[in-house]
């Protein structure tokens, strides 16, 4: 398992009964987590001193309950700054477990000793975009939500990356890549963080089990001949690491060589000393 254990401003304190107690900077949040299927005694005082609690509804969705929590605040990871604000369906605007991937590809970019063009698809609030840009890459950031792209721009400004070579695009990721194929555009690295289910700006439907492999094949067409890396993240329990590895091997490594690896990604839990699984990632890199 790849573990994001270098955080200073974020911490999973405890987990129990379908929920996790987290510290985000100065604030404590309790949020549901489908992986937490165990019931253990909630001994940590933070469970009762929380600043925000997302209550899952039996009918689907849910709502936040707040206790002295600001509308927005910030945390840092290394030299990056992220604005946080609780919004729909339990999210805060950041997936902390992805830091283990940021560190991995940032090192590859920094050591490449050449210009690296990165395409970040389903790019959300820009965690991977910022990490790649800070490492020295040119980044094309694509997300179907205008609000998320604007949020990512705010994070870039807070991280001192307002003038970095980042191209911000509000677009359907599949249609964008199809146009890039027709244009003959290429990238040295591709990152994608696809949702399990989503809609594009014009109502395009994305179902990951049906769409992911054709999309991986499509994106492989715009990898440069000397591509550096390729990264696919999945939060869908049906897409095990071996499935990600298989797809990347077929679509990318069979044509470009290199090395494929896939693992669960996770976060350390302070009180138990155990690891909370947070999905999986599949990686390809030219030189292992």
């Amino acid at each position: 398992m790849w573990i994001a254990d270098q955080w200073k401003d974020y911490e999973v304190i405890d987990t129990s009964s379908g929920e996790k107690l987290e510290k985000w900077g100065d604030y404590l949040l309790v949020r549901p987590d489908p992986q937490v299927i165990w019931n253990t005694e909630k001994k940590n005082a933070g469970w009762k001193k929380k600043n925000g609690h997302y209550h899952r509804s039996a009918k689907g969705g849910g709502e936040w309950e707040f206790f002295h929590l600001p509308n927005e605040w910030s945390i840092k990871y290394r030299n990056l700054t992220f604005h946080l604000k609780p919004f729909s369906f339990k999210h805060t605007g950041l997936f902390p477990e992805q830091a283990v991937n940021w560190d991995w590809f940032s090192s590859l970019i920094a050591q490449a000793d050449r210009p690296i063009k990165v395409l970040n698809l389903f790019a959300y609030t820009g965690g991977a975009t910022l990490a790649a840009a800070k490492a020295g890459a040119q980044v094309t950031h694509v997300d179907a939500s205008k609000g998320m792209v604007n949020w990512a721009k705010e994070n870039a400004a807070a991280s001192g990356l307002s003038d970095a070579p980042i191209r911000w695009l509000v677009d359907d990721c599949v249609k964008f890549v199809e146009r890039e194929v027709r244009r003959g555009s290429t990238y040295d690295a591709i990152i994608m963080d696809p949702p399990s289910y989503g809609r594009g700006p014009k109502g395009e439907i994305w179902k990951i089990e049906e769409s992911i492999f054709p999309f991986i094949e499509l994106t492989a067409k715009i990898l440069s001949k000397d591509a550096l890396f390729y990264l696919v993240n999945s939060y869908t329990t049906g897409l095990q690491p071996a499935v990600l590895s298989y797809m990347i091997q077929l679509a990318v490594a069979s044509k470009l060589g290199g090395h494929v690896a896939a693992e669960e990604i996770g976060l350390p839990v302070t009180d138990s000393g155990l690891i909370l699984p947070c999905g999986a990632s599949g990686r390809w890199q030219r030189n292992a």
Side-chain angles (χ1 to χ4, degrees), residues 11 32 48 52 60 68 105 108 122 128 197 201 214 228 235 262 265 267 288:
E11 176 186 4
K48 296 181 179 179
H68 308 294
F105 65 67
L108 292 178
F122 310 98
Y197 178 87
L228 184 63
Y235 300 98
I265 56 175
L267 289 161

Side-chain angles (χ1 to χ4, degrees), residues 8-204:
K8 307 297 183 190
D9 284 1
Y10 172 82
E11 176 186 4
V12 181
I13 299 171
D14 194 15
T15 61
S16 180
S17 306
E19 295 182 313
K20 55 189 173 186
L21 171 65
E22 305 165 287
K23 186 173 185 292
W24 297 80
D26 295 329
Y27 303 100
L28 297 176
L29 299 182
V30 174
R31 299 191 297 157
D33 191 306
Q35 301 285 0
V36 182
I37 61 175
W38 46 87
N39 297 320
T40 51
E41 187 178 353
K42 294 181 177 179
K43 295 181 180 179
N44 194 288
W47 288 104
K48 296 181 179 179
K49 297 180 180 179
K50 55 189 177 288
N51 300 102
H53 190 172
Y54 187 88
H55 299 278
R56 178 69 58 81
S57 169
K59 299 178 181 179
E63 62 181 2
W64 280 99
E65 180 183 14
F66 297 124
F67 311 91
H68 308 294
L69 185 72
N71 292 330
E72 182 175 320
W73 72 101
S74 298
I75 65 172
K76 290 183 177 293
Y77 183 75
R78 300 192 188 279
N79 51 6
L80 302 175
T81 299
F82 300 99
H83 292 297
L84 304 176
K85 43 192 171 185
F87 68 110
S88 61
F89 194 63
K90 77 179 181 180
H91 296 307
T92 63
L94 191 66
F95 293 105
E97 64 273 11
Q98 285 300 321
V100 71
N101 284 322
W102 304 341
D103 289 345
W104 169 71
F105 65 67
S106 292
S107 177
L108 292 178
I109 292 167
Q111 295 171 15
D113 198 29
R114 60 184 170 95
I116 299 296
K117 287 177 58 181
V118 174
L119 174 60
N120 187 14
L121 299 163
F122 310 98
Y124 197 50
T125 57
T129 293
L130 271 58
K134 188 69 85 169
Q138 301 174 33
V139 186
T140 298
H141 174 111
V142 186
D143 196 278
S145 168
K146 183 178 180 180
M148 291 300 151
V149 173
N150 287 337
W151 192 341
K153 290 180 182 179
E154 294 174 7
N155 286 336
S159 298
L161 293 167
S162 293
D163 297 325
I166 303 172
R167 183 183 177 202
W168 305 101
L169 297 174
V170 179
D171 205 343
D172 175 78
C173 290
V174 176
K175 292 188 174 181
F176 172 76
V177 175
E178 288 173 342
R179 290 197 301 274
E180 291 292 81
V181 171
R182 292 195 294 270
R183 292 173 184 138
S185 301
T186 60
Y187 295 86
D188 302 305
I190 293 176
I191 299 165
M192 70 170 78
D193 208 343
S196 298
Y197 178 87
R199 288 183 179 272
K202 296 182 180 179
E204 302 89 347

Side-chain angles (χ1 to χ4, degrees), residues 209-230:
E209 291 87 351
E210 299 173 4
S211 305
I212 186 64
F213 183 59
F215 190 57
I216 289 175
E217 289 186 305
L218 182 68
T219 56
K221 295 179 181 179
I222 58 173
L223 283 170
S224 62
K225 292 181 180 179
D226 57 349
L228 184 63
F229 70 87
Y230 189 97

